[in-house]
Amino acid sequence: MRNHLLLFMAAGTLMLSGCTKTEKENKAATPNSAASVSENTLPENIKIEFSGEDKFTIKSALLKVSLYGIDEKLADAPATLITEQEYEQKSIPFTIDLPIPKDTQSKINPKPVGPAKYYVTISWDSDGNGKAGEKGDIVIDYDKEIPNVKLNNETQKIYLKVLQ
């Protein structure tokens, strides 16, 4: 019985000795989350290049570009509008600088537990009939590529087409 007690105490001592890292060592061993690092290094704008292969006729040059964010791990959660900006464009291809707030990830609801994913949408009544997103208007070509963007200094490419 006494040997069992000594064995038990020795095992407990070994287990506790593995848990004696200081708080400073724990912080050094745990890297900052991707969210906090990216929030601190976000550019003021993201550069987005819009292009396409269709023959584009633009009667109304005013379009709205919107940036949305969502938790990458959540499948059925709604995306959150982060920012939107209006532009005037008379030809395609074109490039814009979309201003982004410094606290993009904190704007997403529900709050992301993992990395956030961002994408853009456009609303453009390019044929000038008073209604955006209808036959004859310029829209994002989702068949070619999903309009996901990264909040960095790289130029993001978005493909457009005329809605048939």
Side-chain angles (χ1 to χ4, degrees), residues 51-68:
S51 65
E53 298 172 0
D54 287 359
K55 181 177 177 172
F56 298 102
T57 303
I58 301 172
K59 292 182 181 174
S60 175
L62 190 63
L63 75 138
K64 186 185 325 179
V65 178
S66 303
L67 174 70
Y68 288 86

Side-chain angles (χ1 to χ4, degrees), residues 22-55:
T22 65
E23 188 176 324
K24 190 175 184 180
E25 288 173 322
N26 281 336
K27 284 185 180 178
T30 307
N32 291 339
S33 70
S36 63
V37 171
S38 64
E39 289 293 320
N40 293 332
T41 59
L42 283 177
E44 291 181 14
N45 300 299
I46 55 172
K47 189 176 287 291
I48 305 173
E49 178 185 316
F50 292 91
S51 65
E53 298 172 0
D54 287 359
K55 181 177 177 172

